[in-house]
Amino acid sequence: MTSQTAVFSLDSQTQERIEQKFQEKVVFAEARKDQLFHVFEQELTEEETWALKYLFAYMPVNDMADYDGELFLSHVRQALDIRKRVPWGERVPDHLFLHFVLPYRVNTENIEDFRGILYNELAERTAKLSMADAILETNYWCHEKATYIGSDLRTISPLTMIRNARGRCGEESTLAVAALRSIGIPARQVYTPRWAHCDSNHAWVEAWADGQWYYIGACEPEARLNQGWFSPPARRAMLINTRIFADYPGPEDITLNEKGFTEINLLENYAPARTLYVSVKDKQGEPVSGASVRFELYNMAEFYPIAEIKTDEEGKASFKTGYGDLLVRAVSGGKWSEVLFKTQDGEHIEFVLDSSEQPLGIMDFDMVPPPGGEGDAASTLPEEKIKAHNRRLEEGTKVRTEYEGTFLSEEEAFTLAQSSGLPPERVWNVLQKARGNSREIAAFLEERTGDYGEWPLRLLESLNEKDLIDTFRQTLDDHLMGALAQRGEWAEDTFVKYILCPRVSYEMLVPYRRVFGDAFTAAEAAAYRKDPSALAGRLEKGYAYADDLPNLKGKGNPAGTYSLMKGDEQSLDILFVAVCRSLGIPARLHPSEQKPQYLCAEGWKDAIFRLNSPRNQESSSWGMLQLLRDPKGSQDTPAASYAENFTFARLEDGVYKTLVYPYGSTDVYDEPYEVEPGSYRLTSGIRLKDGTVRVRFTYFTVRAGDTVHVALTYRETAVDIPVLGTLSPGSTLTRLDGREANLKDLLGSEGALAAWIEPEREPTKHLLRELSELAEPLDKLGLPIVLMIGDAEWTASFDPASYPKLPARTVFARDSSYASLSGFIPNPAAHEAGYPHLFVLDSQDQIRYSASGYKIGTGKEALQIANAILQP
C-alpha cells in the first residue's frame, strides 16, 4: 500500500521504503503480532497510520519484545495533537518532526507514556515564548526536577528521573530531550562516547529553533543558548555524535547508516575536525570489503572504539575525528592489522591484513589528545539578565529540595522497622536509596513482612540502588513469592544472590517469575533443575539471533525476550539466567566474562549455546592470571586500580575484549583472576596533566588449567612541579556558621588544597566525589582543604552534610569578593573553563598545581603533587 498524498512530506520512494520495512517487522515479530499490530485495527487517521508505520519500521528489537502497540499509538497521537497545540508546531518541518519529535526513545531507558505528562507540566510555561526561550525555560524546569549524580550504566526513564530528582548526564539529557519533544521542539541527545583528555564521557542536548540547532547542558541551565561548562572540553573531543532510528538523509555528516539507525557526526559544531581515509587490503594486495575498522582511544585504561565502520566494496572507509592520536585496527576473517595513528601522520591509513597472532613482550607508546583551544568570545550579558538567571537557579534548587523533603524520613523508616520487627538501620538504608519511591518500597515491606519475615527486606537489599527507585510492588511480589516457592536446599547466601535476586545485568526489572513458572510443566522444570544445560538447549532451539543497536544489547527484559524469542546474544544470556532463577536454579553471568552460568554440585558451569558461533566451544577448563607487583616500582608508581590505570583484555575474533571487574578495585594482587584460556593484552597507563597518556601493552597467553604470572608495570613518569605563582591572600571569607575568617588563616602554613567551587554543577560534584574517595590519604597528609563558594555560585539549599566522607580538615566558606581568585586565574582560558578552580599550595604559599573546569582525576593529581612537595 502507498499513500496518494504526501503525508509528512514523504515522497513515494520513502513511503515505499517505510512500508517495506514495516511489513518486514510484521513478519519478524509474528510471535507478538497481536500485542503489537492490533492497533492498526482501530480507526486511524492517515497521519497516525504513517507515523505508527514509521516507528515500527525502524523499531529496535528490544522494543518489539518489551512493549505493546498501545504505548506506541499513544505516543503517536499525543505527538500529533501537541504539534497542533504549540505555537511553533507548523514551523517545524516534517522531516525534523519525524526524526526528532515523534520518537519515543532517547537512550536505553525504559519506555513509558510520558509525553502527555511532560506536556502538561510545560505547555503553559512556554506557550507565550519564542522557540529559543522555550528551550531555555524547559531547561529551567529540568533543573527543578533533577540534578547530577554519578551512577551505573542502566539509564532510568524520564519519569523515574523526576521521581529520583537526580541522575547521571545521560539521564539528565534523556529527561531534557523527552521534555522538549513533549512540547513539539525537535531535540536530540548528543554524546562524546569517550573523552580523549580525561577518563570519562559526557552527554548533552541539541534543540532546534526556527532553522538552527543549539546546544544546552541538560538540567544545568545557562542564561543563553550555546553555552555550558562542557564547551572547553568539547573542543578537545574526538567524536560527538547522535543516533537516529531512521534512514536519516542529513544534512549532517553520516558516520553509519545500517540496521535501522543512522549515526551522525556533529564534531565540527564543537571542535576542529579532519577526515581520516582508510584503505584495507589483503596480503595479495586486493581490497577487503566489509572489514571492520575500529577507531580506538585510551579511556578508563582501555582502548575504546569511538567508531566502528565497515569498508566498502573498494576496501575503503572514512571517519571524521579530532586532532588527537588514535589506535586504529582493521579486522576481517580472523586477520587484522593495527596502526598507532599520530596527529601529525596526515589523513591516509593503509592496512594489510596479515596478522593472526598477537605480538609478544611489551610495547610502550604515548597517546596525545587534541590540544585545548579558545572559543569564540561571547558578548557580555546585561547584569539584570545574570541576576535573573541566578535567581532562577536558586528558585529551581529550592523547588527540587522541597520535593526531596517529601521522601520518607529516617524517623518514619525506624517507626516502620519497629512495627515490622526489622533492623532499623537496614530498613533506613533501603528506604533512603529509594528516594521518591520510598513510600512504595515501605508499603511493600509493611504488607509482606508479616507473612514472610525478613525475606522482603533481603530481596530489596539484593537489588541495585537504581532498582529501588523504579521497581514497584507488583514486580517485588512476583519475585519474592516466586523465589521463596523455589528455595530448595541451597545455602542462604547462594539463594539470595543467585535465585532471590532478579537483577542479572542492566535490564529493566519486570515480574517474570510467574511467566516462566507457567511456561514449563512440572516435569520439565524438574528435568531442568537436574540438568540446566538442557534448558539452554531448549531456549536456544526456539531463539533467533537478531542484532540490536550496539547500546541496546542486553537491555531488554527477559519476559519480553521470551515472548518474541528473538534478540541479541546478551539477551539470550539474561533470559537463561532469569529462567533458571525462576525455576530455583542458581544462575549468574560470570563476573568478568559475562557468560551465563549455573551452579551444580561440581561448581559453576557455563551454559553453552552451540549455535552462537563466537562461543560455540565449551571451555574444558579455565586458566588463572596472577598479577605481580612491579619489581622495579618506585614510590611514584601509581597504586593499581582496575579501569582507572590498568585493564586486561582477551583477543576474540581479532578484537581485544576488556574483561569486566569492579571499577577502582585495588586488591588486584591478592588472589588470581579466573579467566578463559586465550591471548591477552594487559594495558596500563599514566595520564599526565595535559591529558597525554603514557601507555604500556604487556602481551601474554593463558592456557587451560595453568596459572600465568604477569607483572603489572607502569612507565616511569617524571612529575614536574613548577612554581606557578604566589597566593594573594586578599579574600575575607565567611564560614557557613556566619563567622568571618581570613583565607590565609584557613590555609595555615604547612601547605593546603584550595578550591573555588560551584556546588550545583557536575564538574564540582566530580571534584567533591574524588576528594571524598581520597579522604584517607588526604587525612594522612593532614593538609587543610578550603572550599570556597562565591555569591553567584551560592545556593541556599547547599548542605555540606551531603558530603559526609570529605577529608576531616575540609572547610567550606563564602567568598563575596573573589579577590584571591582573580589573582589565581590570570588567563582567559581558565576563566572560560569555569569552576571548580583547584590549587595546591606549599608551605611558602606558592602555587604548585592548578586545574580549572571539568577534568576527571584532578583530585588524584592534586594528592600526588601534595605528596611530592611535602616529602621531607
Side-chain angles (χ1 to χ4, degrees), residues 462-653:
S462 77
L463 303 179
N464 291 346
E465 190 165 327
K466 276 185 182 176
D467 298 333
L468 296 169
I469 60 174
D470 64 0
T471 306
F472 307 115
R473 277 176 279 180
Q474 178 189 4
T475 299
L476 295 169
D477 281 346
D478 174 80
H479 290 293
L480 175 69
M481 300 172 191
L484 290 177
Q486 302 288 348
R487 184 178 176 189
E489 301 300 320
W490 296 104
E492 188 170 296
D493 187 58
T494 299
F495 172 73
V496 171
K497 284 184 178 179
Y498 305 117
I499 295 179
L500 177 66
C501 177
R503 164 65 54 215
V504 180
S505 180
Y506 292 112
E507 76 284 0
M508 182 68 187
L509 292 188
V510 298
Y512 59 68
R513 305 237 183 197
R514 182 173 294 178
V515 171
F516 298 141
D518 293 342
F520 306 101
T521 66
E524 288 174 328
Y528 295 145
R529 281 191 283 271
K530 186 176 181 180
D531 180 15
S533 66
L535 174 61
R538 162 80 174 267
L539 292 176
E540 191 182 39
K541 185 177 181 181
Y543 194 81
Y545 289 100
D547 278 346
D548 215 328
L549 273 73
N551 63 328
L552 282 173
K553 288 183 177 180
K555 300 301 194 300
N557 74 68
T561 300
Y562 185 75
S563 66
L564 187 63
M565 286 305 286
K566 289 184 173 71
D568 55 77
E569 297 167 15
Q570 292 96 318
S571 293
L572 179 58
D573 295 345
I574 293 168
L575 173 61
F576 173 80
V577 174
V579 174
C580 280
R581 292 182 182 180
S582 299
L583 300 181
I585 305 165
R588 68 177 187 181
L589 298 183
H590 185 274
S592 62
E593 299 289 349
Q594 299 295 289
K595 294 176 62 172
Q597 296 184 312
Y598 58 89
L599 187 63
C600 59
E602 296 81 29
W604 288 103
K605 283 196 141 186
D606 296 342
I608 304 302
F609 298 121
R610 300 188 182 279
L611 300 180
N612 189 351
S613 57
R615 295 181 298 184
N616 60 1
Q617 299 297 320
E618 183 168 3
S619 299
S620 57
S621 177
W622 292 69
M624 305 298 285
L625 165 60
Q626 178 68 65
L627 290 180
L628 305 176
R629 297 180 190 274
D630 185 355
K632 299 179 181 178
S634 67
Q635 63 180 12
D636 295 327
T637 301
S641 178
Y642 197 83
E644 187 173 6
N645 55 37
F646 88 95
T647 58
F648 39 88
R650 186 177 58 255
L651 185 62
E652 289 187 0
D653 297 328

Side-chain angles (χ1 to χ4, degrees), residues 116-408:
I117 296 171
L118 302 189
Y119 171 79
N120 289 336
E121 288 265 330
L122 287 161
E124 188 173 341
R125 288 176 64 153
T126 57
K128 297 181 180 180
L129 302 177
S130 67
M131 286 188 81
D133 285 342
I135 295 169
L136 292 173
E137 182 62 30
T138 299
N139 210 19
Y140 282 122
W141 176 85
C142 290
H143 171 67
E144 295 170 11
K145 298 301 179 184
T147 189
Y148 176 83
I149 187 173
S151 63
D152 68 34
L153 294 176
R154 185 166 73 86
T155 302
I156 58 177
S157 70
L159 298 184
T160 298
M161 184 70 167
I162 293 170
R163 185 185 309 115
N164 194 44
R166 64 188 191 187
R168 57 178 169 79
C169 61
E171 295 162 335
E172 290 179 304
S173 49
T174 296
L175 170 63
V177 169
L180 289 163
R181 290 178 178 177
S182 294
I183 55 170
I185 292 179
R188 58 198 185 196
Q189 181 186 61
V190 297
Y191 255 107
T192 178
R194 293 289 190 275
W195 294 115
H197 69 285
C198 69
D199 295 310
S200 185
N201 64 354
H202 191 53
W204 58 92
V205 172
E206 289 187 347
W208 185 91
D210 296 318
Q212 184 174 343
W213 286 97
Y214 300 90
Y215 70 83
I216 59 173
C219 302
E220 296 183 314
E222 300 285 354
R224 58 182 160 201
L225 299 172
N226 288 348
Q227 184 170 309
W229 59 258
F230 52 87
S231 298
R235 290 197 292 274
R236 305 185 71 184
M238 293 293 284
L239 175 65
I240 293 171
N241 66 348
T242 192
R243 285 185 176 139
I244 303 159
F245 301 97
D247 293 314
Y248 181 68
E252 300 89 346
D253 288 315
I254 295 174
T255 302
L256 290 173
N257 188 348
E258 58 180 31
K259 295 180 181 176
F261 73 94
T262 304
E263 185 175 292
I264 59 175
N265 191 333
L266 304 168
L267 181 64
E268 279 188 316
N269 296 346
Y270 300 89
R274 58 176 176 164
T275 300
L276 303 184
Y277 300 93
V278 175
S279 173
V280 181
K281 298 179 181 179
D282 60 22
K283 287 199 293 186
Q284 288 71 43
E286 296 298 320
V288 179
S289 65
S292 173
V293 183
R294 294 162 60 92
F295 299 87
E296 302 176 344
L297 56 76
Y298 179 97
N299 189 286
M300 297 180 71
E302 70 169 336
F303 276 83
Y304 181 88
I306 57 173
E308 185 172 356
I309 301 173
K310 301 289 187 182
T311 55
D312 61 19
E313 293 181 357
E314 298 179 350
K316 297 184 182 300
S318 63
F319 175 53
K320 183 167 286 187
T321 187
Y323 284 85
D325 296 348
L326 286 168
L327 195 64
V328 188
R329 190 176 183 90
V331 182
S332 180
K335 302 284 187 180
W336 67 83
S337 181
E338 186 172 74
V339 170
L340 174 60
F341 195 76
K342 308 294 287 184
T343 304
Q344 63 270 21
D345 288 346
E347 297 180 337
H348 295 273
I349 311 174
E350 293 190 0
F351 287 105
V352 176
L353 301 184
D354 57 2
S355 297
S356 57
E357 294 184 3
Q358 73 172 6
L360 300 174
I362 291 175
M363 176 181 174
D364 291 344
F365 58 96
D366 289 353
M367 290 292 291
V368 181
E374 293 189 18
D376 297 332
S379 59
T380 302
L381 289 171
E383 187 173 346
E384 288 183 9
K385 190 164 187 176
I386 295 174
K387 287 183 177 179
H389 169 68
N390 290 336
R391 185 174 64 250
R392 292 295 305 274
L393 292 179
E394 182 74 27
E395 291 169 353
T397 302
K398 183 180 178 183
V399 169
R400 187 177 64 251
T401 303
E402 288 176 350
Y403 164 67
E404 291 177 306
T406 68
F407 298 171
L408 199 142

